[in-house]
Coordinates of all heavy atoms in Angstrom, one line a residue:
M164 N 46.3 -24.1 200.6 CA 46.0 -23.0 199.7 C 46.5 -23.4 198.3 O 45.9 -23.1 197.3 CB 46.8 -21.7 200.1 CG 46.1 -20.9 201.2 SD 47.2 -19.6 201.7 CE 47.6 -18.7 200.2
I165 N 47.7 -24.0 198.2 CA 48.3 -24.4 196.9 C 47.4 -25.4 196.2 O 47.3 -25.3 195.0 CB 49.7 -24.9 197.1 CG1 50.6 -23.7 197.6 CG2 50.3 -25.5 195.9 CD1 52.0 -24.1 198.1
V166 N 46.9 -26.3 196.9 CA 46.0 -27.3 196.3 C 44.8 -26.6 195.7 O 44.4 -26.8 194.5 CB 45.5 -28.4 197.3 CG1 44.5 -29.3 196.6 CG2 46.7 -29.2 197.7
V167 N 44.2 -25.7 196.4 CA 43.0 -25.0 195.9 C 43.4 -24.1 194.8 O 42.7 -24.1 193.7 CB 42.4 -24.2 197.1 CG1 41.3 -23.2 196.6 CG2 41.8 -25.1 198.2
I168 N 44.5 -23.4 194.9 CA 44.9 -22.5 193.9 C 45.3 -23.2 192.6 O 45.1 -22.7 191.5 CB 46.1 -21.6 194.4 CG1 45.5 -20.6 195.4 CG2 46.8 -20.8 193.3 CD1 46.5 -19.8 196.2
T169 N 45.9 -24.4 192.7 CA 46.2 -25.2 191.5 C 44.9 -25.5 190.7 O 44.9 -25.3 189.5 CB 46.9 -26.5 191.9 OG1 48.1 -26.3 192.6 CG2 47.2 -27.4 190.7
A170 N 43.8 -25.8 191.4 CA 42.6 -26.1 190.7 C 42.1 -24.8 190.1 O 41.6 -24.7 188.9 CB 41.5 -26.6 191.7
L171 N 42.2 -23.6 190.8 CA 41.8 -22.4 190.3 C 42.7 -21.9 189.1 O 42.2 -21.3 188.2 CB 41.8 -21.3 191.4 CG 40.8 -21.4 192.5 CD1 41.1 -20.4 193.6 CD2 39.4 -21.3 192.0
L172 N 44.0 -22.2 189.2 CA 44.9 -21.9 188.1 C 44.5 -22.6 186.8 O 44.5 -22.0 185.8 CB 46.3 -22.2 188.5 CG 47.4 -21.7 187.6 CD1 47.5 -20.2 187.8 CD2 48.8 -22.3 188.0
A173 N 44.2 -23.9 187.0 CA 43.8 -24.7 185.8 C 42.5 -24.1 185.2 O 42.4 -23.9 183.9 CB 43.5 -26.1 186.2
Q174 N 41.6 -23.7 186.0 CA 40.4 -23.0 185.6 C 40.7 -21.7 184.9 O 40.1 -21.3 183.9 CB 39.4 -22.9 186.7 CG 38.1 -22.1 186.5 CD 38.3 -20.6 186.8 OE1 37.8 -19.8 186.0 NE2 39.0 -20.3 187.8
G175 N 41.6 -20.9 185.6 CA 41.9 -19.6 185.0 C 42.6 -19.6 183.7 O 42.2 -18.8 182.8
Y176 N 43.5 -20.5 183.5 CA 44.2 -20.7 182.2 C 43.2 -21.2 181.2 O 43.3 -20.9 180.0 CB 45.4 -21.5 182.3 CG 46.6 -20.8 182.8 CD1 47.3 -21.1 184.0 CD2 47.1 -19.7 182.1 CE1 48.4 -20.4 184.5 CE2 48.2 -19.0 182.5 CZ 48.8 -19.3 183.7 OH 49.9 -18.6 184.1
A177 N 42.3 -22.1 181.6 CA 41.3 -22.6 180.7 C 40.4 -21.4 180.1 O 40.1 -21.4 179.0 CB 40.4 -23.7 181.3
H178 N 40.1 -20.5 181.1 CA 39.4 -19.3 180.7 C 40.1 -18.5 179.7 O 39.6 -18.0 178.7 CB 39.0 -18.5 181.9 CG 38.2 -17.3 181.6 ND1 38.6 -16.0 181.8 CD2 36.9 -17.2 181.1 CE1 37.7 -15.2 181.5 NE2 36.6 -15.8 181.0
Q179 N 41.5 -18.3 179.9 CA 42.3 -17.6 179.0 C 42.3 -18.3 177.6 O 42.2 -17.6 176.5 CB 43.7 -17.4 179.5 CG 44.7 -16.7 178.6 CD 44.3 -15.2 178.5 OE1 44.7 -14.4 179.3 NE2 43.6 -14.8 177.4
I180 N 42.4 -19.6 177.6 CA 42.5 -20.3 176.3 C 41.2 -20.1 175.6 O 41.1 -19.9 174.4 CB 42.8 -21.8 176.6 CG1 44.2 -22.0 177.1 CG2 42.5 -22.7 175.4 CD1 44.6 -23.3 177.7
L181 N 40.0 -20.2 176.3 CA 38.7 -20.0 175.7 C 38.6 -18.6 175.1 O 38.0 -18.5 174.0 CB 37.6 -20.3 176.7 CG 37.4 -21.8 177.0 CD1 36.4 -21.9 178.1 CD2 36.9 -22.6 175.8
L182 N 39.1 -17.6 175.8 CA 39.0 -16.3 175.3 C 39.7 -16.1 174.0 O 39.3 -15.5 173.0 CB 39.6 -15.3 176.3 CG 38.7 -14.9 177.5 CD1 39.4 -14.0 178.5 CD2 37.4 -14.2 177.0
I183 N 40.9 -16.8 173.9 CA 41.7 -16.7 172.6 C 40.9 -17.4 171.5 O 40.8 -16.9 170.4 CB 43.1 -17.3 172.8 CG1 43.9 -16.5 173.8 CG2 43.8 -17.5 171.5 CD1 45.2 -17.2 174.2
L184 N 40.4 -18.6 171.8 CA 39.6 -19.3 170.8 C 38.4 -18.5 170.3 O 38.1 -18.5 169.1 CB 39.2 -20.7 171.3 CG 40.4 -21.7 171.5 CD1 39.9 -22.9 172.3 CD2 41.0 -22.1 170.2
R185 N 37.7 -17.9 171.3 CA 36.5 -17.2 170.9 C 36.8 -16.0 170.0 O 36.0 -15.6 169.1 CB 35.7 -16.7 172.2 CG 35.0 -17.9 172.9 CD 34.5 -17.4 174.2 NE 33.9 -18.4 175.0 CZ 33.6 -18.3 176.3 NH1 33.8 -17.2 176.9 NH2 33.1 -19.4 177.0
N186 N 37.9 -15.3 170.4 CA 38.2 -14.1 169.6 C 39.0 -14.3 168.4 O 39.1 -13.5 167.5 CB 39.1 -13.1 170.6 CG 38.2 -12.5 171.6 OD1 37.6 -11.4 171.4 ND2 38.1 -13.1 172.8
G187 N 39.6 -15.5 168.3 CA 40.3 -15.9 167.1 C 41.7 -15.3 167.0 O 42.4 -15.4 166.0
H188 N 42.2 -14.6 168.1 CA 43.5 -14.1 168.1 C 43.9 -13.9 169.6 O 43.1 -14.1 170.5 CB 43.6 -12.7 167.5 CG 42.7 -11.7 168.1 ND1 43.0 -10.9 169.2 CD2 41.4 -11.3 167.8 CE1 42.1 -10.1 169.5 NE2 41.0 -10.3 168.7
T189 N 45.2 -13.7 169.8 CA 45.8 -13.7 171.2 C 45.7 -12.3 171.8 O 46.0 -12.1 173.0 CB 47.2 -14.1 171.2 OG1 48.0 -13.4 170.2 CG2 47.3 -15.6 170.8
G190 N 45.4 -11.2 171.0 CA 45.2 -9.9 171.6 C 46.4 -9.4 172.4 O 47.5 -9.4 171.8
A191 N 46.2 -9.0 173.6 CA 47.3 -8.5 174.5 C 48.1 -9.5 175.2 O 48.9 -9.2 176.0 CB 46.7 -7.5 175.5
V192 N 47.8 -10.8 174.9 CA 48.5 -11.9 175.6 C 50.0 -11.9 175.1 O 50.2 -11.8 173.9 CB 47.9 -13.3 175.3 CG1 48.7 -14.4 176.0 CG2 46.4 -13.3 175.9
S193 N 50.9 -12.0 176.0 CA 52.3 -11.9 175.6 C 52.9 -13.3 175.4 O 52.9 -14.2 176.3 CB 53.1 -11.2 176.8 OG 54.5 -11.4 176.6
L194 N 53.4 -13.5 174.2 CA 54.1 -14.8 173.9 C 55.4 -15.0 174.7 O 55.6 -16.1 175.3 CB 54.5 -14.8 172.4 CG 55.4 -15.9 171.9 CD1 54.7 -17.3 172.1 CD2 55.8 -15.7 170.5
R195 N 56.1 -13.9 174.9 CA 57.4 -14.0 175.7 C 57.1 -14.4 177.1 O 57.8 -15.2 177.7 CB 58.1 -12.6 175.7 CG 59.4 -12.6 176.5 CD 60.4 -13.5 175.9 NE 60.7 -13.2 174.6 CZ 61.5 -12.2 174.2 NH1 62.2 -11.5 175.1 NH2 61.8 -12.0 172.9
M196 N 56.0 -13.9 177.7 CA 55.7 -14.3 179.1 C 55.4 -15.8 179.2 O 55.8 -16.5 180.1 CB 54.5 -13.5 179.6 CG 54.1 -13.8 181.1 SD 52.7 -12.9 181.7 CE 51.4 -13.9 180.9
S197 N 54.6 -16.3 178.2 CA 54.2 -17.7 178.3 C 55.5 -18.6 178.1 O 55.6 -19.6 178.8 CB 53.2 -18.0 177.1 OG 52.0 -17.3 177.4
Q198 N 56.4 -18.2 177.2 CA 57.6 -19.0 177.0 C 58.5 -19.0 178.3 O 59.0 -20.1 178.7 CB 58.4 -18.4 175.8 CG 57.7 -18.5 174.5 CD 58.4 -17.7 173.4 OE1 59.0 -16.6 173.7 NE2 58.4 -18.2 172.2
L199 N 58.7 -17.9 178.9 CA 59.5 -17.8 180.0 C 58.9 -18.5 181.3 O 59.7 -19.1 182.1 CB 59.9 -16.3 180.4 CG 60.8 -15.6 179.3 CD1 61.0 -14.2 179.6 CD2 62.1 -16.4 179.1
I200 N 57.6 -18.4 181.4 CA 57.0 -19.0 182.6 C 57.0 -20.5 182.4 O 57.2 -21.3 183.4 CB 55.6 -18.5 182.8 CG1 55.6 -17.1 183.3 CG2 54.8 -19.4 183.8 CD1 54.3 -16.4 183.6
L201 N 56.9 -21.0 181.1 CA 57.1 -22.5 180.9 C 58.5 -22.9 181.3 O 58.6 -24.0 182.0 CB 56.8 -22.8 179.4 CG 57.1 -24.2 179.0 CD1 56.1 -25.2 179.8 CD2 56.9 -24.4 177.5
L202 N 59.5 -22.2 181.0 CA 60.9 -22.6 181.4 C 61.0 -22.6 182.9 O 61.6 -23.5 183.5 CB 61.9 -21.6 180.8 CG 62.1 -21.6 179.3 CD1 63.1 -20.5 178.9 CD2 62.7 -23.0 178.9
M203 N 60.3 -21.6 183.6 CA 60.3 -21.6 185.1 C 59.6 -22.8 185.6 O 60.1 -23.4 186.6 CB 59.6 -20.3 185.6 CG 59.5 -20.2 187.1 SD 58.3 -19.0 187.6 CE 56.7 -19.8 187.2
D204 N 58.5 -23.2 185.0 CA 57.8 -24.4 185.5 C 58.6 -25.6 185.4 O 58.6 -26.5 186.3 CB 56.5 -24.5 184.7 CG 55.4 -23.5 185.0 OD1 55.5 -23.0 186.2 OD2 54.6 -23.1 184.2
L205 N 59.3 -25.8 184.3 CA 60.2 -27.0 184.1 C 61.3 -27.0 185.1 O 61.5 -28.1 185.7 CB 60.8 -26.9 182.7 CG 59.8 -27.1 181.5 CD1 60.5 -26.9 180.2 CD2 59.1 -28.4 181.6
S206 N 61.9 -25.9 185.4 CA 62.9 -25.9 186.4 C 62.4 -26.1 187.8 O 63.0 -26.6 188.7 CB 63.7 -24.5 186.4 OG 62.9 -23.4 186.8
T207 N 61.1 -25.6 188.0 CA 60.5 -25.8 189.3 C 60.2 -27.3 189.6 O 60.3 -27.8 190.7 CB 59.1 -25.0 189.4 OG1 59.4 -23.6 189.3 CG2 58.4 -25.3 190.7
I208 N 59.8 -28.0 188.5 CA 59.6 -29.5 188.7 C 60.9 -30.2 189.1 O 60.9 -31.0 190.0 CB 59.1 -30.1 187.3 CG1 57.7 -29.6 187.0 CG2 59.2 -31.6 187.3 CD1 57.2 -29.9 185.6
V209 N 62.0 -29.8 188.5 CA 63.3 -30.4 189.0 C 63.6 -30.0 190.4 O 64.0 -30.8 191.2 CB 64.5 -29.9 188.0 CG1 65.8 -30.4 188.5 CG2 64.2 -30.3 186.6
F210 N 63.4 -28.7 190.8 CA 63.6 -28.3 192.2 C 62.7 -29.0 193.2 O 63.2 -29.3 194.3 CB 63.4 -26.8 192.2 CG 63.7 -26.2 193.6 CD1 64.9 -26.5 194.3 CD2 62.9 -25.3 194.2 CE1 65.2 -26.0 195.5 CE2 63.2 -24.7 195.4 CZ 64.3 -25.1 196.1
A211 N 61.5 -29.3 192.8 CA 60.6 -30.0 193.7 C 61.1 -31.4 194.0 O 61.1 -31.9 195.1 CB 59.2 -30.1 193.0
F212 N 61.7 -32.1 193.0 CA 62.3 -33.4 193.3 C 63.6 -33.3 194.1 O 63.8 -34.1 195.0 CB 62.6 -34.1 191.9 CG 61.5 -34.7 191.2 CD1 61.0 -34.2 190.1 CD2 60.8 -35.8 191.8 CE1 59.9 -34.7 189.4 CE2 59.7 -36.4 191.2 CZ 59.2 -35.9 190.0
A213 N 64.3 -32.2 193.9 CA 65.5 -31.9 194.8 C 65.1 -31.7 196.2 O 65.8 -32.1 197.2 CB 66.3 -30.7 194.2
M214 N 64.0 -31.1 196.5 CA 63.5 -30.8 197.8 C 63.0 -32.1 198.5 O 63.0 -32.2 199.7 CB 62.3 -29.8 197.8 CG 62.7 -28.4 197.5 SD 61.2 -27.3 197.5 CE 60.6 -27.4 199.2
G215 N 62.6 -33.1 197.6 CA 62.0 -34.3 198.1 C 60.5 -34.2 198.0 O 59.9 -33.1 198.2
I216 N 59.8 -35.3 197.7 CA 58.4 -35.2 197.4 C 57.6 -34.8 198.7 O 56.6 -34.1 198.6 CB 57.9 -36.6 196.9 CG1 58.5 -37.0 195.6 CG2 56.4 -36.6 196.8 CD1 58.2 -36.0 194.5

Side-chain angles (χ1 to χ4, degrees):
M164 281 175 56
I165 290 168
V166 172
V167 172
I168 288 168
T169 298
L171 292 174
L172 190 71
Q174 174 271 138
Y176 277 118
H178 183 244
Q179 180 67 83
I180 289 166
L181 286 173
L182 282 176
I183 294 172
L184 289 171
R185 286 172 186 167
N186 286 274
H188 61 85
T189 55
V192 178
S193 169
L194 172 63
R195 180 64 57 82
M196 185 184 73
S197 296
Q198 291 170 330
L199 293 177
I200 291 181
L201 175 60
L202 291 175
M203 179 195 72
D204 289 332
L205 293 174
S206 69
T207 298
I208 291 170
V209 175
F210 183 45
F212 282 110
M214 289 177 65
I216 297 299

